[in-house]
Amino acid sequence: MTARTVRRLTLTVGLSLILALALTVTVALAQGGAPSSGGYYYTVQPGDSWLSLSWRTGIPVADLKAANPTALHPRDWLWKGERLFIPAKPTLPPGAVPGATPAPDAASAGIWYQVKAGDNWQIVARDSDVSVLDLWHANPMQLRANGWLYAGQWLWIPNAATPAPAVTPIAPAATAAPVVTATRTLTPTRVVTLTVALTATQVTPLPTLTVTPTKPVVQPTATVTTALTVTKPAATAVVTATKPAATAVTATVPVSPTASAAGVKPAAVPSGCPAGMAAYADAIAARLNQPNTAPTDLTAWLKGCGAIQDKQGSVTVAPITGPTSKDVIVALRDPATDQVTPRGLLLVYHASAKGYALARKVEGAGPIALLKAGDVNTDGKPDRIWTDTTCGAHTCFSTLFVESWDGKAYQDWIVGEPTIAYGEYAFTDTLPAGSGDEILVHGGVIASAGAGPQRAWTETYVSPKGGPYELFNQVYDDSKCLYHHVLDANKAFGQWTSAGFEPAIKAYQAAINDTALEACGSIKDEAATLRDFARFRLIVALVGGGKSPLTAAMKAQMTDQALTGAADTFLTSYHGSGSVIQACRDVTTYAVANPASWNFLAAWGYANPAFTAQDLCPLN
C-alpha cells in the first residue's frame, strides 16, 4: 500500500467519522432530545407567537426567547416549522424534596410526583385519590392547551398525607422529551408514543391573537349570532368590555372544569347511535337517504345520541349546490368524551337526484358552531361561516372560518384564521368598502390575572368586491384606564413617518389633561408617572412637529426624576445636533443606564405590549 493510498484511506475514514457524528447529532435533535436542564421541543404552527406559547406553556416570554436565541426574528415573528425548545423543568417549593410530605398541619400538604410514560391527568387523579380539578388548581403552570403531560415533569399532589400506592414519586432524572408537532385538527389517543411515551387528552392548542388596526370603524347596529359565548370566570380585566348594541343568541361552554366533570368516564353509547365520532358521517348519510326522512328529523336523533346538546351542535338546511337545493350542514359535539369542551365536527351533505352525499368534513380542535350559511357577501356563491373554540385553564378562544362554494369545491374565503378570546359575532351591511355583509367580531379580554389590565375591541372584516374577507379595522372599547390612553398615544407616535406628529401631540395632551382617567395597574404613583411619561413623549413630538418653544412649559410640569433626566438629555442633544433622531439615540443611551425611566411600562401583563430602553424614544 503506497503512502498516497494510506493518506486517502485516512481521509476517507476521518470524513466518515465526521459524517457519522453529524448524523448522530441530527437524529438526536430530530428525536427531540432536551438539554440536561429539562424541557421538550415544539414545532411552530400557523398562528403561533411568543405570547401564545408563553400562555400555553406557563414559561415567561423572556425565558422562551433566552432558550431559543436562533429563533429571534424581526418584529418578533415565529416561522412555521421551526423547532423551539420549551424549558419545562418544574420548580419545587423552598425546602421541598421530591416525594417528601410536609408536616400534616401544613397548609400546602401534599407530595411531589414525577410523571411517567402513560400518565394523564385522570390516571394521576385516580391513583392519588385527588380530583382532576384539584390537580389542575394545584398545578396551573403545567396546564397546556393540548392537555398533555410529559414524562419527567413534576406535579404537586395536594392534600395527600402519604403517597398513594400507585403513585410512586421518583427521583429527578433526565428524561428524553418528545417532539410535539401540533395541528389544529388533533385526534389524540389516550397514550401517544413519539420519541418517548406521552399522554394526550382531547384539548388542542390555542391559537393566538393577531390583529392589524387600520381605519376608524363605523359602529353599526347589527344582529349578532354568538358562537360559544362562554361564561367567564371572575374577570381580571380592569375595564368592563362594552359589547355592540345587538341581540345575542348565546351558547355556553365552561371556561374551567367543574367538579362533576373532572374524571368522569364517557357514557355508554346509546342504542342505535354510532360507536364514535368517526362513524357519524356515514351514519348521518344513511339516515338522510332513508325513505320518508326529512333532514330536520336528524336533530332529535342526534340529541338522543348526545351529539347535539346544550346549544352545542345544530342541523341546518341551506341551498348550496343550487338556488332551491336542500343541502344539509351538521355541527356535532363528541358525545363520547369526558372533556368539558368536546371536539366538534362539521359535516356538509349535498343533495342530488341520487340522494345525499358527504361533500365536506371539518374536524374541530374544540366545539364547532355554525354562524351563518348563505350568500353572505352577495357574490352569487354560497358561504358557510363557523367558529372553532378551544379553552384553556381560564380563557376560551374562538377562531373564525369562512368557506365559499364555487360550484366545484369549497374555497377558503377569509384571510388568515382570526382568533379572539370570548368572541361574539355579528353580520351587518353598512360599509361601502365591502360587498354584502361585514363580519363584526367583539371580544379579546383574557380572564387571567397575568394578562394585565385590558379592554375589549371590535374587529370588522369586509369582502372587497366579493373577494375573501379581510380585516378592515380594529377599534377598542372606551376605557377610563389612563394606561390604555397612553398606549393609544404611543400608537399614534409610532405612525409619525406617515401621519406626522400632530395626532400624537393631541393624544398625549388628552392623556395628560383628562382628570377622569384612572390608574388601573399596580405601579407606584401610577397616574403621576404615566402622565410624566406622556409629557416626555409630548416634548419629543413637539420638537419633531416644529413646536420647540412649547417644550419648556411641558418640562416644568414634570416631577419624575428619571423621566425629567430623559427630557433633559433629549433637549440638550437636540440643541447641540439639531437632529431629533440623534437626540433619541442619546436618550436610549441614557435609558439603558437609567432603567427607572422606562421599566414602569415593562410589566403590565402578557396581553399588553412589552417595553424596553429602546422604546423610550423610538425615532430612528
Side-chain angles (χ1 to χ4, degrees):
M1 184 181 296
T2 65
R4 184 174 182 180
T5 301
V6 170
R7 286 196 299 272
R8 285 181 176 178
L9 180 60
T10 302
L11 179 60
T12 301
V13 172
L15 288 174
S16 299
L17 290 174
I18 291 172
L19 289 173
L21 178 60
L23 180 59
T24 301
V25 172
T26 302
V27 171
L29 289 175
Q31 292 175 339
S36 59
S37 59
Y40 58 95
Y41 284 94
Y42 172 76
T43 302
V44 174
Q45 302 299 308
D48 282 342
S49 70
W50 290 109
L51 186 63
S52 68
L53 291 178
S54 173
W55 177 83
R56 286 155 53 187
T57 61
I59 307 299
V61 171
D63 291 350
L64 288 175
K65 290 183 176 180
N68 298 277
T70 60
L72 302 180
H73 309 302
R75 300 179 65 182
D76 262 1
W77 285 353
L78 289 174
W79 295 345
K80 176 184 175 182
E82 68 180 327
R83 296 174 69 240
L84 301 180
F85 176 69
I86 310 298
K89 183 177 180 181
T91 301
L92 304 184
V97 177
T101 304
D105 59 347
S108 58
I111 61 170
W112 283 101
Y113 170 70
Q114 192 173 38
V115 175
K116 303 188 299 293
D119 279 343
N120 63 21
W121 289 105
Q122 285 74 23
I123 289 174
V124 176
R126 180 197 66 201
D127 292 346
S128 57
D129 197 25
V130 175
S131 74
V132 174
L133 183 61
D134 288 342
L135 282 179
W136 287 346
H137 286 167
N139 299 274
M141 303 308 288
Q142 303 298 345
L143 291 174
R144 296 181 175 85
N146 56 21
W148 290 356
L149 291 176
Y150 293 92
Q153 78 179 92
W154 289 88
L155 299 179
W156 178 251
I157 310 297
N159 303 318
T162 57
V167 182
T168 305
I170 57 178
T175 55
V179 178
V180 181
T181 305
T183 62
R184 277 205 54 82
T185 301
L186 184 66
T187 308
T189 58
R190 188 170 185 177
V191 177
V192 180
T193 302
L194 299 174
T195 302
V196 299
L198 56 90
T199 302
T201 56
Q202 296 171 337
V203 181
T204 54
L206 295 179
T208 188
L209 292 164
T210 304
V211 294
T212 307
T214 53
K215 306 174 185 177
V217 74
V218 177
Q219 293 290 355
T221 300
T223 300
V224 174
T225 303
T226 301
L228 302 172
T229 301
V230 293
T231 302
K232 306 176 186 177
T236 56
V238 173
V239 180
T240 302
T242 303
K243 303 176 182 179
T247 301
V249 179
T250 61
T252 302
V253 173
V255 172
S256 57
T258 60
S260 61
V264 176
K265 296 181 180 180
V269 178
S271 176
C273 296
M277 282 287 276
Y280 268 89
D282 291 340
I284 291 173
R287 282 196 166 250
L288 285 172
N289 289 313
Q290 289 179 354
N292 303 318
T293 299
T296 52
D297 296 338
L298 286 175
T299 303
W301 173 63
L302 291 172
K303 284 185 176 180
C305 293
I308 294 179
Q309 186 181 92
D310 297 333
K311 298 183 181 179
Q312 293 181 11
S314 61
V315 176
T316 303
V317 178
I320 298 176
T321 56
T324 60
S325 64
K326 294 183 178 180
D327 305 297
V328 178
I329 306 170
V330 182
L332 304 175
R333 64 180 296 279
D334 187 352
T337 183
D338 60 352
Q339 300 299 312
V340 292
T341 51
R343 288 183 306 120
L345 186 64
L346 189 69
L347 305 170
V348 182
Y349 297 87
H350 288 178
S352 69
K354 297 180 180 180
Y356 284 93
L358 181 65
R360 183 79 170 97
K361 178 181 178 180
V362 178
E363 295 181 355
I368 287 180
L370 180 67
L371 300 181
K372 197 164 187 177
D375 188 5
V376 182
N377 62 346
T378 63
D379 64 346
K381 301 174 184 177
D383 308 303
R384 289 179 301 112
I385 302 177
W386 76 93
T387 57
D388 187 356
T389 299
T390 52
C391 296
H394 48 62
T395 304
C396 292
F397 290 86
S398 294
T399 301
L400 179 65
F401 295 91
V402 180
E403 284 188 350
S404 180
W405 174 253
D406 65 4
K408 296 181 179 180
Y410 284 100
Q411 303 294 337
D412 187 9
W413 219 243
I414 190 168
V415 177
E417 295 184 356
T419 301
I420 195 169
Y422 301 114
E424 295 181 338
Y425 300 84
F427 300 87
T428 185
D429 184 9
T430 58
L431 297 177
S435 174
D437 282 351
E438 290 81 52
I439 306 174
L440 273 64
V441 186
H442 183 263
V445 175
I446 299 173
S448 167
Q454 303 164 73
R455 50 187 169 161
W457 65 82
T458 298
E459 299 170 7
T460 301
Y461 292 86
V462 300
S463 171
K465 297 181 179 179
Y469 277 90
E470 61 185 41
L471 182 67
F472 177 73
N473 59 18
Q474 177 198 21
V475 175
Y476 283 96
D477 289 358
D478 290 337
S479 170
K480 290 298 182 182
C481 175
L482 175 59
Y483 172 71
H484 290 149
H485 287 261
V486 169
L487 290 183
D488 291 341
N490 288 351
K491 177 184 172 183
F493 186 86
Q495 297 171 344
W496 69 277
T497 55
S498 58
F501 287 101
E502 193 60 31
I505 291 173
K506 292 181 178 178
Y508 284 121
Q509 286 175 333
I512 293 168
N513 297 328
D514 189 347
T515 58
L517 300 180
E518 305 168 347
C520 61
S522 58
I523 67 172
K524 184 180 179 181
D525 299 326
E526 180 178 324
T529 303
L530 290 177
R531 285 191 168 93
D532 268 359
F533 169 79
R535 291 184 180 99
F536 166 75
R537 281 287 185 89
L538 183 54
I539 288 172
V540 177
L542 288 170
V543 171
K547 300 179 179 181
S548 297
L550 302 178
T551 60
M554 191 55 55
K555 180 176 172 295
Q557 299 176 26
M558 297 178 68
T559 58
D560 184 273
Q561 184 176 355
L563 286 167
T564 300
D568 286 334
T569 300
F570 177 83
L571 292 172
T572 300
S573 177
Y574 175 72
H575 291 150
S577 66
S579 168
V580 292
I581 303 298
Q582 183 58 48
C584 268
R585 290 173 180 168
D586 290 340
V587 167
T588 297
T589 301
Y590 168 87
V592 170
N594 298 271
S597 63
W598 59 270
N599 60 10
F600 56 88
L601 283 172
W604 284 78
Y606 60 78
N608 291 306
F611 202 89
T612 67
Q614 289 72 26
D615 296 318
L616 184 59
C617 193
L619 301 185
N620 49 47

